[in-house]
Amino acid sequence: MGLEEALPFVLDQVATMNETRFEADPRVLVVLVTHNGGAWLPASLDSLRHQIYSSLDLVVIDNGSRTEAAATVSRYARNAELVRSDRNLGFGAAANAGLESSSRTSSADYFLFMHDDVVLDPDAIHTMVEASISTGAGVIGAKGLDWDRPEVLVEVGMSADQFCIPYSGLEEGEIDQGQHENLTESLFVTNACMLVSRQLAERCGLWDGAYFAFGEDLDLCLRARLAGFKVMVEPHARYRHAGAFSNGQRRVSRGVPSKGHLARRNQWRTIAKNASAPRMVFALTVSLLLGLGRMLALLLLRRVDESSDYPRAFIDFVRSFPNLMLRRRAVQKRRTVPDRQIRSLMVRDSQRFRLQVERRVRQWEHGTLAVGAKSVKRLSFTGLKQAFAVWAREPMTIATFLIVLLGLIAMRGFLFGEPLAGGSIWPFPEATGRLIGDYLSGWRDTSLGTESAAPTAFPILWVFSLLGFGRPGLAQKLMILILLTIGLVGINRLVGSSAKRRPARVVALGVYALNPVLQLILSNGDLGGLALYAGMPFVLLMALRTLGSGEEASGWAEMRTPVPANSDSLLTSTGRMALLLAPIFALAPSALLAILLLFATMGVGRATSTGFSAPALRRFRFLMLAVPLALVVLIPWSFEGLRPSGAILGPLFSGLGGWLYPLWREFSFREMFLLDLGGSLGALVVPGILLGALALVGPARRSEARLLSLPLMVFGLIGGFAGKGFLPPLVASPAMWLVAPLAILALLSGHLAEGVSEELPRHAFGWRHKIAVPALVVTLGVGVLIGWAPQLAGWDRPAPTFAGGTSEEAASIASFMKSTAQEVGDFRVLWLGSRWSSPVRTGLKPSDGPEYFLTTSQGLTMLDAFQPPPAQGEARMDSVIDALMGRRLHLAGHLLAPATVRFIVADPNDEATIEALGRQRDIALEQQQGAVAIFRNLQWLPRASLAPVALSEEVVTQSNPSSVMVVDWTGGRSIPARSPSKFTGDLPRTAHSQVLLGDNYNKGWKASVGDTQLEQSEAFGWANRFELKPEASGEVRVYFGQHWIRFLWLVVQVILLLAVLAMAGTSASSGKERRQ
Amino acid sequence: MKRSEIVFIAVVLGVLSVGLLLELTVPTRSVEANRVEAGQFISTGWYCPVPPGDAKDAIMSTANLASSALGLRRSSIGGSAQSIVDQISIPALSTGNKAVSDFSVPDATGLVEAFGGNNLTQLVVSGAGRGAAASRCSAQPASRWLFASGSTSRGDDHYLLISNPFREEAVVQVRLLAGDKEVVPARLKDLVIRSFSQASVYISDYLQEEPNFGIDVEASRGRVVVSRYSNVTSGGGNGISLDLGVRKGSNEWIFAAGLVPTDGEETILVVNPGTREALVGVVFMTDGERSAPPELSEVPVPAGRQVAIKVSDHLPRGTSYGVQLTSTNDVAVVAERRTAGVVESNRSYESVLGVTAPARRWAVPAGSPSGGVATLSLVNTGQNPTQVKVTLLTEGGEAIPPELASLTVEPGRKLVVDITPYLGGNLATAVVEADAPVLAVESQSFLGGQFSDFSSTSGSVVP
């Protein structure tokens, strides 16, 4: 029963209440809610029988217990009224129902609500009533002690933080030594034992039945406080509490939502009902975002059960929101106390955080800390010794370990060297906060700046930055290691889904881990390729399950179950695939085309086995659906990524222009087709594995090998033709193209190994054996040892072809830029010449013209890695750079200045670039370090600045649409930046007459002085120009609007993510599915 | 094994074989590198270091080679006073002249900023009673400048005009590369050139009585423009010369307007500013033949040294010739032709840096404000005859004399064209266009009369 239903009845009872009162003792109605009370209920009833307080009535609500409580009640409390509910209504609704049914409600002055696992001291009720009378409090709580260890405190009043997360303030296992003996105020007391006055019930009502469990006591006490009632704890009243529901001792009926689900939902309900409007918006937003973060963390830890609580709680919350708002209105109507008074009783977030950390440490010590699917214990020498002894008995584990060790040794320079600065791999910003700031900003401060949405990879990097304690180098390497590990775990699972024997896994792991594709990815710092490497085995596994591969093979049922062909199951599978693909696309946008092709070819490959039947087509449709669904999760960024020049389709279209061909041509047709990256002998590996897997395995594996051979060949053919220059490369880097065939190859190797070790012995020694043995020798001996392993020797450092030169140079340049930025404010850097542009990096200058790119003073960041689609200014920048490099210009510094270009970095050995720069009157060599020359634009203009009266004198030439601005404007005054999209400062008394902002002609920028909005006049180069009035004074502000649009998008994105999460279903169903 | 499986395996094998076959047979499509081609100028800054003192008249002559008007912003950099800024527009295919003295700033570098299409600015100076000289102006300030010729013998006054047209201070070092030694005068080790200034370095102040050396000016900070002004009164010749240095060495040098003096000497000076010995081959081209003296097939030029080749040792006196020098071992050198003696009845002194490659289109200053005879020397370095058209641009506009509209230059030969009748005593810019990129061009002026001076200027390649 909900509050609405219960409240009229209670009030009605109050209205018809007998006017006669007991003058001596107020009448107390004990409301005891029991659900599968077991051994606790008799003790609880017995304690009531022994109360010294005589003016007591008792109503017991049997809240859907399996074994009816009637017998126990009649035995221990003959005078008690018993109310029975057929199902578990939850505490609040059950108590409301009890009050509604009881004839004694109308005569009660107090209601004592208690659980069935609570035992009261004999004087508890007496003490609580006295406290209530003496203080006038609306709610009185008692001191709670542990059921089994009565010296241990469990409650002496409760608090909560601003997000309504409860906090007890007690140390775990805190002994009662009389340290909490004062009658004190508390934010709330739990409903384990809570005395509520009739006045409060009349004014505020009682329980909100929609809570079911967790948080209804906080809600009731907050309502009481808002209405002006006190909530007190009388520690001299004591009770013992078993906490049977919380600690899982109580059997709970089916259909009850999980604790996490209830706790989250009720937390949001309590905020929505009781907080003031501004605080509600803040607390709800932060709480939802924190919930999202926690959910992602749980997903990463594979605690899917717990992570699914969040979307379900959110959907529940959203569904009940209209009703909740009506309740909120009623609560706020009764408000007499401001939020700040209540906040004074709330706990600070830091205190709660400290407690959480301490609790985790204790859990670790006790071996109950859950990390992933298992709990971890504190390491001890004996434990380690035992674990090692077990581990050492597993030769295959040792083999796997050795493979990983070999990889680590091979990558020693990469992993344990200095941080990779300057862009070999996307650099993480120094300030972690900036990542999320950039993500939420309406303005992206990259290239020439744009208002497009930031890449969805931001939250992922943010998480890694946090894990790396804000240290970019650590975060980078952590991410690399984690992605590598995920990839290897994935391939293990993929092969394990069709092979029981360890040799199959080891062979597959070897193929996937010790190959030149991974070397290519790491040496190029291709984080996108690495993300795909990590996710591909899982993608392949889910795709095979969705397509129903292996369903005809009865022996596989225990390892891999195909997704049932009904729409519900397929939809769930599609949702999961979309959730898996989304982070991959976020980090490797152009992988979308490779994945689409993979799915298409797998679908056709599957059809070659089963024919084009209706179920097969349905499976195929659902598989393909996952790709657009993943893009839905990435909205709004995916809109931009899908533009012809965007991060997803850009390589396809720009590939036609030829800028990628030189890279692709490093891989010859044969290499692409045969995956021969280890030399000519290694070329035998692919056909060896493919033909071996086709010929030497049992029917089920052979069928899958046929399915997989098609994508392998199609990828090889397309890659080969792209390498020859006859097709545009579909993806940004060859590595991304090679990962899918590599995973297929690893799986086929596993098939082959499994087939040889398991299936061949069943047959007589014959021609299969004659082919099988050489195929294996070729695969392992020639392929790995001769073909690939030698390459590992040189696999220790990324190629020095990234922005910033070698790591040392890059670090030095980065340091110079940062120190200058601290001095003069933010600026842009133009990296000029072919040395700096890495075709592996998605989105960097995909055009046919001169090679360059722009970064902020931070150097290359994640934002540059996903360059937004060109805006109006990019075309002009192209033409200016073209003129500069063609030596057709002598005032390039003037032209670049409004774009805030302060430094131009060039390779001193690049004669063409150096000569072009040398021709410029307004560009001077600042310094030269090793193979890096830094030029300074003498005409540099800060991003936002005050400019002199006569700003420009343009010479318009007929040979080029660009205008050459010949006037000097040095002396402009910078307006300090507050964020990428906001600049503020005091307007000085000077002759300045204009405000300039060098950002891509975007009309979204606005400026004001004091309260006066400034009008935007004709652009000056790249800069927006605002006219200042002569009498203007006050603070000058330049800002980019539309934050609310970005925020709205964020909300939409979260909702979409939650919707897909809900679509993907819960882990419970997946577990069931697995068991089926 | 089922039949379908056998077919499938056969298909896989077939595809693999076809792939291998294609790999071995299909060629890789060629990929064009991203190169930025030179095109029409948008804006150009020309820096013309002006000789001090005795060069009374220095005229900056800007030729508008484009088909639309050209905006000019002319001023001077350096000196002690604020320069006047002169802004005009000149019509298509014409020249605009401006005396540097009009800016009222002595010892300053002339600056021409041109906004529009392709153009070229040159400086023509008239020395007090000693004749005239012309030089290209620089659009490319640089950190290194080289000359192959220099002398501090008695009567040989050589000045380095070092101009720093930037807001940043420049620091330069001057290295002198003689035949047997390499000298960096102590006071020229870190010579500071203030911002927006021009310094005149009189070389004799730093190194005395050194008859032959090359010059290497290197800026350790900033960028400069360096010209060399020579005022020679020694026995062999008597005249002035003005040359802009070159920014780097080259494997090839061509001189189109060689003429062996009837009295005196013409010398090809080769300097090797690098660190490896260069081997240089020399080929002479006259109007009748192409000859490669065996003794000059591989002339060794040690690193950091200068080598002098006397032309009269290989060609008869009075011969008009072109010469092509090629570094056979790809070590870049700098070459200059120096003449001191009697040429075409004029006794004078002249030194000129050649051009580094043949091209299709050239522009070169023609004529002198002091009158005299003006010629164009054209050399065809190719294997086939080339058709050449000469256009003359003056302040009055463009003129294509019918006689010069179609000239033929035979391969390996030199052609000299007298353009005096078409100039009318005016300064002009000759635009020479060939039908193949095989041409090298040089202009000469023979003032005669009281001056008894001659002057040579190498052409500038124009897009």
Side-chain angles (χ1 to χ4, degrees):
Chain A
M1 175 184 281
L3 182 65
E4 270 76 9
E5 293 84 39
L7 193 58
F9 172 77
V10 173
L11 295 178
D12 189 43
Q13 292 290 315
V14 170
T16 57
M17 190 173 61
N18 194 337
E19 289 295 323
T20 2
R21 298 285 182 98
F22 293 94
E23 288 187 4
D25 295 325
R27 196 90 196 142
V28 175
L29 176 61
V30 179
V31 183
L32 190 150
V33 180
T34 180
H35 175 76
N36 297 333
W40 304 292
L41 182 59
S44 183
L45 292 171
D46 198 41
S47 76
L48 287 172
R49 197 167 60 182
H50 291 96
Q51 287 297 309
I52 60 169
Y53 194 78
S54 57
S55 183
L56 273 183
D57 291 317
L58 173 63
V59 56
V60 179
I61 299 102
D62 183 358
N63 195 19
S65 301
R66 287 185 184 177
T67 314
E68 289 193 10
T72 312
V73 173
S74 60
R75 183 175 169 193
Y76 288 94
R78 284 184 191 165
N79 296 329
E81 252 182 285
L82 181 67
V83 177
R84 175 161 172 77
S85 165
D86 290 335
R87 61 189 179 88
N88 187 353
L89 301 171
F91 181 88
N96 286 341
L99 288 171
E100 183 185 350
S101 308
S102 170
S103 58
R104 299 165 186 176
T105 304
S106 56
S107 59
D109 297 300
Y110 288 97
F111 305 101
L112 178 78
F113 296 97
M114 61 183 283
H115 292 183
D116 58 358
D117 55 351
V118 162
V119 170
L120 301 176
D121 276 7
D123 62 345
I125 294 178
H126 175 80
T127 313
M128 288 168 86
V129 171
E130 274 194 344
S132 176
I133 291 168
S134 64
T135 60
V139 178
I140 296 286
K143 182 197 282 184
L145 301 163
D146 188 69
W147 181 280
D148 297 316
R149 298 167 61 204
E151 71 280 9
V152 174
L153 289 163
V154 295
E155 187 201 332
V156 272
M158 297 285 288
S159 183
D161 62 10
Q162 58 177 326
F163 307 115
C164 293
I165 298 176
Y167 171 78
S168 79
L170 294 172
E171 301 290 329
E172 191 157 306
E174 185 174 328
I175 304 293
D176 182 17
Q177 297 169 312
Q179 67 272 42
H180 300 287
E181 288 302 295
N182 295 327
L183 178 66
T184 52
E185 270 203 74
S186 175
L187 181 70
F188 81 104
V189 296
T190 67
N191 55 13
C193 176
M194 177 195 278
L195 186 76
V196 178
S197 72
R198 170 169 285 279
Q199 286 86 348
L200 174 62
E202 287 171 4
R203 180 90 188 275
C204 306
L206 286 169
W207 303 103
D208 182 345
Y211 275 72
F212 193 86
F214 299 111
E216 64 270 65
D217 36 19
L218 174 60
D219 169 59
L220 177 61
C221 292
L222 281 177
R223 280 190 279 128
R225 287 203 162 276
L226 287 175
F229 290 95
K230 283 183 187 172
V231 178
M232 309 285 290
V233 180
E234 170 53 273
H236 296 104
R238 306 188 331 155
Y239 68 89
R240 286 188 297 131
H241 187 198
F245 181 48
S246 304
N247 59 29
Q249 291 175 338
R250 190 193 299 277
R251 284 185 304 167
V252 181
S253 54
R254 281 189 176 182
V256 174
S258 69
K259 289 176 204 167
H261 174 172
L262 290 172
R264 297 297 146 248
R265 185 199 64 183
N266 294 346
Q267 171 196 350
W268 297 329
R269 277 185 75 87
T270 310
I271 296 171
K273 278 173 71 178
N274 300 299
S276 61
R279 186 151 297 281
M280 176 185 75
V281 172
F282 169 75
L284 267 184
T285 308
V286 174
S287 183
L288 286 170
L289 287 175
L290 287 174
L292 180 67
R294 193 170 151 78
M295 182 188 75
L296 292 174
L298 287 167
L299 273 175
L300 279 176
L301 292 169
R302 292 176 56 210
R303 285 157 68 176
V304 186
D305 281 347
E306 291 169 67
S307 70
S308 66
D309 286 339
Y310 288 84
R312 282 183 292 151
F314 180 75
I315 291 166
D316 230 3
F317 173 67
V318 171
R319 205 183 289 155
S320 65
F321 200 73
N323 192 270
L324 201 56
M325 285 300 104
L326 292 176
R327 296 186 180 201
R328 172 183 167 78
R329 192 181 297 171
V331 171
Q332 298 300 325
K333 220 174 186 175
R334 289 192 291 270
R335 176 192 278 267
T336 59
V337 173
D339 257 9
R340 65 174 179 280
Q341 252 183 50
I342 295 172
R343 281 276 287 153
S344 67
L345 291 164
M346 286 181 165
V347 69
R348 293 169 68 88
D349 298 332
S350 57
Q351 206 171 341
R352 205 172 59 79
F353 178 72
R354 181 184 60 80
L355 193 79
Q356 284 284 343
V357 171
E358 286 175 2
R359 187 172 298 160
R360 295 285 176 262
V361 171
R362 271 196 298 277
Q363 284 175 346
W364 177 54
E365 285 175 346
H366 298 153
T368 54
L369 176 66
V371 176
K374 294 178 181 174
S375 57
V376 293
K377 290 180 183 173
R378 188 161 63 170
L379 298 177
S380 69
F381 181 70
T382 319
L384 278 175
K385 209 165 68 175
Q386 285 170 350
F388 183 76
V390 172
W391 179 78
R393 281 198 292 272
E394 300 285 345
M396 287 306 170
T397 313
I398 293 176
T400 309
F401 170 77
L402 286 176
I403 288 170
V404 173
L405 189 67
L406 189 57
L408 283 174
I409 291 170
M411 293 185 294
R412 60 199 176 278
F414 187 78
L415 292 172
F416 305 112
E418 61 211 18
L420 306 170
S424 169
I425 199 164
W426 303 327
F428 288 63
E430 289 285 331
T432 306
R434 171 144 183 162
L435 257 180
I436 208 70
D438 282 334
Y439 185 62
L440 292 174
S441 169
W443 182 256
R444 281 183 60 190
D445 192 11
T446 176
S447 185
L448 278 168
T450 178
E451 59 176 304
S452 68
T456 318
F458 261 49
I460 300 171
L461 285 200
W462 187 60
V463 168
F464 275 98
S465 289
L466 288 177
L467 290 176
F469 301 105
R471 290 178 59 193
L474 191 59
Q476 280 175 353
K477 288 165 186 176
L478 203 62
M479 190 160 186
I480 292 165
L481 277 178
I482 289 177
L483 288 177
L484 274 176
T485 310
I486 291 174
L488 296 179
V489 167
I491 207 71
N492 186 43
R493 278 194 73 173
L494 173 65
V495 178
S497 74
S498 59
K500 288 179 191 169
R501 301 187 176 217
R502 286 225 169 86
R505 296 183 185 211
V506 172
V507 168
L509 268 171
V511 169
Y512 203 58
L514 303 177
N515 69 81
V517 177
L518 189 57
Q519 180 201 7
L520 182 71
I521 289 170
L522 292 175
S523 61
N524 282 319
D526 185 0
L527 193 54
L530 199 58
L532 190 63
Y533 182 86
M536 183 53 74
F538 296 99
V539 170
L540 212 52
L541 176 58
M542 288 179 75
L544 287 170
R545 287 187 62 222
T546 307
L547 288 173
S549 174
E551 64 185 347
E552 62 277 358
S554 56
W556 285 15
E558 292 169 15
M559 296 177 285
R560 185 204 295 166
T561 48
V563 176
N566 62 66
S567 296
D568 283 350
S569 304
L570 286 172
L571 201 63
T572 303
S573 165
T574 301
R576 287 179 189 170
M577 179 67 98
L579 287 174
L580 174 61
L581 290 177
I584 295 176
F585 293 161
L587 290 165
S590 74
L592 182 139
L593 296 168
I595 295 276
L596 264 181
L597 189 71
L598 175 70
F599 286 177
T601 48
M602 283 178 76
V604 176
R606 175 71 179 146
T608 59
S609 306
T610 61
F612 290 94
S613 62
L617 280 174
R618 189 190 304 143
R619 287 175 177 282
F620 179 61
R621 275 202 305 272
F622 275 100
L623 180 65
M624 296 300 280
L625 181 66
V627 175
L629 194 61
L631 290 179
V632 166
V633 176
L634 301 181
I635 283 174
W637 172 74
S638 52
F639 291 153
E640 284 149 16
L642 280 168
R643 289 187 203 180
S645 55
I648 295 171
L649 297 179
L652 175 63
F653 287 94
S654 65
L656 288 166
W659 74 281
L660 273 174
Y661 283 139
L663 183 82
W664 281 78
R665 278 183 49 190
E666 290 172 16
F667 306 92
S668 73
F669 188 88
R670 185 177 63 242
E671 285 164 348
M672 293 298 294
F673 188 76
L674 303 177
L675 289 173
D676 169 25
L677 294 167
S680 56
L681 285 173
L684 298 170
V685 172
V686 175
I689 293 173
L690 182 57
L691 293 174
L694 282 168
L696 305 172
V697 298
R701 292 195 178 85
R702 198 175 307 147
S703 164
E704 189 158 290
R706 284 169 64 174
L707 185 164
L708 292 171
S709 62
L710 194 67
L712 193 66
M713 287 192 291
V714 169
F715 270 66
L717 276 172
I718 294 179
F721 276 113
K724 282 277 183 184
F726 293 100
L727 272 180
L730 299 176
V731 292
S733 83
M736 264 197 256
W737 189 255
L738 290 168
V739 168
L742 179 68
I744 291 173
L745 208 59
L747 179 58
L748 292 180
S749 310
H751 280 349
L752 184 57
E754 180 81 351
V756 169
S757 62
E758 184 188 69
E759 295 178 6
L760 277 183
R762 294 180 193 163
H763 306 284
F765 185 87
W767 64 272
R768 287 174 189 267
H769 262 110
K770 286 177 184 166
I771 300 173
V773 176
L776 268 182
V777 169
V778 165
T779 306
L780 298 174
V782 180
V784 176
L785 296 177
I786 299 176
W788 296 341
Q791 295 211 6
L792 296 176
W795 185 8
D796 62 347
R797 188 166 282 276
T801 55
F802 48 86
T806 63
S807 291
E808 294 82 0
E809 284 167 348
S812 169
I813 295 171
S815 159
F816 169 71
M817 297 292 177
K818 274 174 204 160
S819 61
T820 311
Q822 279 173 359
E823 213 176 292
V824 302
D826 206 7
F827 50 80
R828 291 201 173 92
V829 181
L830 172 65
W831 303 76
L832 200 55
S834 56
R835 179 174 168 195
W836 316 117
S837 53
S838 159
V840 173
R841 200 169 296 120
T842 312
L844 284 184
K845 192 68 186 95
S847 84
D848 303 336
E851 292 177 56
Y852 73 91
F853 63 89
L854 287 159
T855 67
T856 63
S857 55
Q858 284 205 325
L860 197 69
T861 71
M862 181 74 198
L863 284 166
D864 299 286
F866 290 112
Q867 210 173 36
Q872 199 184 347
E874 268 78 4
R876 183 187 162 103
M877 181 58 78
D878 278 359
S879 79
V880 169
I881 301 288
D882 188 69
L884 166 65
M885 292 296 285
R887 293 190 286 164
R888 294 184 283 119
L889 199 62
H890 84 295
L891 293 173
H894 284 67
L895 292 173
L896 294 171
T900 322
V901 174
R902 184 181 174 90
F903 291 112
I904 298 137
V905 185
D907 181 350
N909 299 316
D910 180 353
E911 283 188 20
T913 305
I914 295 297
E915 283 206 9
L917 288 169
R919 196 182 177 87
Q920 308 308 315
R921 268 197 78 195
D922 43 14
I923 291 173
L925 181 67
E926 179 82 11
Q927 59 169 276
Q928 190 167 324
Q929 297 177 17
V932 179
I934 301 175
F935 290 82
R936 180 155 62 90
N937 182 0
L938 302 172
Q939 295 296 135
W940 170 69
L941 197 65
R943 258 189 79 196
S945 59
L946 297 166
V949 181
L951 185 68
S952 70
E953 180 185 335
E954 296 188 349
V955 177
V956 180
T957 68
Q958 293 179 1
S959 55
N960 196 296
S962 294
S963 299
V964 181
M965 295 167 286
V966 295
V967 78
D968 289 351
W969 54 74
T970 45
R973 186 174 174 138
S974 174
I975 305 173
R978 306 293 173 210
S979 75
S981 56
K982 190 178 176 188
F983 302 82
T984 58
D986 287 328
L987 186 65
R989 288 180 178 277
T990 63
H992 295 127
S993 71
Q994 302 172 56
V995 175
L996 291 180
L997 183 101
D999 276 313
N1000 220 347
Y1001 304 112
N1002 197 294
K1003 296 289 178 192
W1005 286 94
K1006 295 182 172 37
S1008 66
V1009 174
D1011 297 330
T1012 314
Q1013 200 72 23
L1014 300 181
E1015 280 186 22
Q1016 196 167 155
S1017 55
E1018 194 185 349
F1020 175 67
W1022 279 269
N1024 293 5
R1025 182 157 36 174
F1026 302 89
E1027 299 293 339
L1028 275 174
K1029 294 200 172 99
E1031 70 277 11
S1033 65
E1035 188 185 51
V1036 58
R1037 293 175 68 231
V1038 187
Y1039 56 96
F1040 188 76
Q1042 304 178 4
H1043 285 289
W1044 62 273
I1045 293 180
R1046 184 75 193 112
F1047 183 75
L1048 201 67
W1049 269 125
L1050 187 68
V1051 173
V1052 170
Q1053 202 175 16
V1054 170
I1055 291 170
L1056 287 172
L1057 180 66
L1058 291 173
V1060 178
L1061 267 175
M1063 178 178 161
T1066 64
S1067 61
S1069 64
S1070 78
K1072 206 184 300 168
E1073 207 173 86
R1074 274 199 296 274
R1075 282 191 295 278
Q1076 281 170 356
Chain B
M1 185 179 279
K2 291 179 196 169
R3 189 177 167 183
S4 64
E5 290 177 349
I6 295 171
V7 171
F8 188 79
I9 290 175
V11 168
V12 170
L13 281 175
V15 173
L16 286 171
S17 310
V18 169
L20 199 60
L21 196 66
L22 285 173
E23 162 61 19
L24 297 173
T25 54
V26 176
T28 302
R29 205 176 92 174
S30 64
V31 178
E32 288 295 322
N34 285 337
R35 274 207 329 231
V36 181
E37 297 297 338
Q40 288 278 306
F41 287 153
I42 298 164
S43 75
T44 329
W46 296 102
Y47 308 92
C48 313
V50 177
D54 55 352
K56 295 297 181 196
D57 295 305
I59 296 171
M60 294 188 295
S61 175
T62 303
N64 180 5
L65 306 173
S67 54
S68 56
L70 183 72
L72 293 184
R73 201 166 174 266
R74 296 181 289 199
S75 59
S76 67
I77 302 168
S80 54
Q82 184 74 33
S83 169
I84 295 165
V85 177
D86 161 68
Q87 295 200 50
I88 62 157
S89 177
I90 58 172
L93 298 169
S94 68
T95 58
N97 299 335
K98 182 75 177 172
V100 181
S101 56
D102 290 351
F103 299 118
S104 311
V105 183
D107 299 331
T109 299
L111 169 65
V112 176
E113 289 182 273
F115 300 91
N118 292 341
N119 61 87
L120 184 73
T121 298
Q122 298 159 103
L123 186 74
V124 181
V125 297
S126 305
R130 297 193 185 284
S135 161
R136 292 170 287 189
C137 293
S138 172
Q140 181 86 61
S143 55
R144 194 173 192 193
W145 292 91
L146 297 157
F147 301 87
S149 167
S151 166
T152 54
S153 297
R154 187 175 299 274
D156 289 358
D157 296 336
H158 291 269
Y159 299 84
L160 287 176
L161 311 176
I162 307 176
S163 171
N164 175 11
F166 299 105
R167 197 176 290 149
E168 307 285 305
E169 188 178 80
V171 178
V172 301
Q173 169 186 280
V174 180
R175 186 169 64 128
L176 305 174
L177 311 171
D180 55 351
K181 62 185 172 187
E182 183 183 325
V183 184
V184 180
R187 284 185 290 152
L188 293 181
K189 261 185 183 162
D190 290 305
L191 188 64
V192 176
I193 316 293
R194 287 180 293 108
S195 65
F196 296 131
S197 74
Q198 177 182 303
S200 298
V201 176
Y202 180 44
I203 305 173
S204 296
D205 285 348
Y206 305 94
L207 185 71
Q208 278 81 38
E209 297 293 331
E210 184 64 43
N212 262 330
F213 51 83
I215 304 166
D216 179 359
V217 181
E218 192 162 6
S220 56
R221 194 162 82 218
R223 288 171 293 141
V224 292
V225 178
V226 182
S227 284
R228 183 195 56 212
Y229 172 62
S230 309
N231 183 353
V232 175
T233 55
S234 58
N238 187 353
I240 60 170
S241 174
L242 180 65
D243 287 284
L244 180 73
V246 292
R247 286 177 283 112
K248 58 184 176 186
S250 170
N251 290 341
E252 190 173 6
W253 289 93
I254 307 167
F255 299 87
L259 191 57
V260 189
T262 49
D263 180 21
E265 204 53 73
E266 183 153 279
T267 316
I268 307 291
L269 298 154
V270 185
V271 152
N272 176 3
T275 52
R276 278 198 304 133
E277 182 182 73
L279 297 172
V280 176
V282 181
V283 175
F284 292 105
M285 289 165 279
T286 64
D287 55 359
E289 65 169 356
R290 177 189 184 116
S291 65
E295 66 276 18
L296 298 181
S297 62
E298 281 197 340
V299 179
V301 185
R305 298 287 184 273
Q306 183 206 51
V307 166
I309 301 166
K310 284 185 182 174
V311 183
S312 60
D313 290 349
H314 307 284
L315 292 175
R317 290 190 177 274
T319 307
S320 172
Y321 69 95
V323 62
Q324 186 171 11
L325 288 84
T326 308
S327 169
T328 55
N329 62 345
D330 287 339
V331 175
V333 294
V334 180
E336 202 165 345
R337 189 191 67 223
R338 189 174 70 194
T339 314
V342 178
V343 175
E344 300 281 341
S345 309
N346 292 282
R347 176 176 289 279
S348 187
Y349 170 87
E350 177 58 31
S351 185
V352 64
L353 285 148
V355 299
T356 54
R360 186 190 293 272
R361 193 160 185 248
W362 294 88
V364 65
S368 155
S370 309
V373 175
T375 61
L376 287 177
S377 296
L378 315 174
V379 164
N380 179 356
T381 59
Q383 304 297 321
N384 300 304
T386 182
Q387 294 296 312
V388 175
K389 181 176 87 173
V390 179
T391 307
L392 297 173
L393 306 181
T394 63
E395 283 187 301
E398 133 190 77
I400 307 175
E403 297 83 355
L404 306 183
S406 181
L407 302 167
T408 303
V409 187
E410 295 299 326
R413 302 286 187 276
K414 173 185 176 180
L415 178 69
V416 179
V417 182
D418 185 357
I419 56 171
T420 319
Y422 314 109
L423 297 176
N426 295 317
L427 270 179
T429 298
V431 178
V432 185
E433 293 167 280
D435 59 3
V438 292
L439 203 66
V441 174
E442 194 174 330
S443 75
Q444 279 189 309
S445 287
F446 302 94
L447 300 184
Q450 57 164 325
F451 295 114
S452 185
D453 185 30
F454 54 85
S455 152
S456 297
T457 311
S458 295
S460 300
V461 180
V462 288

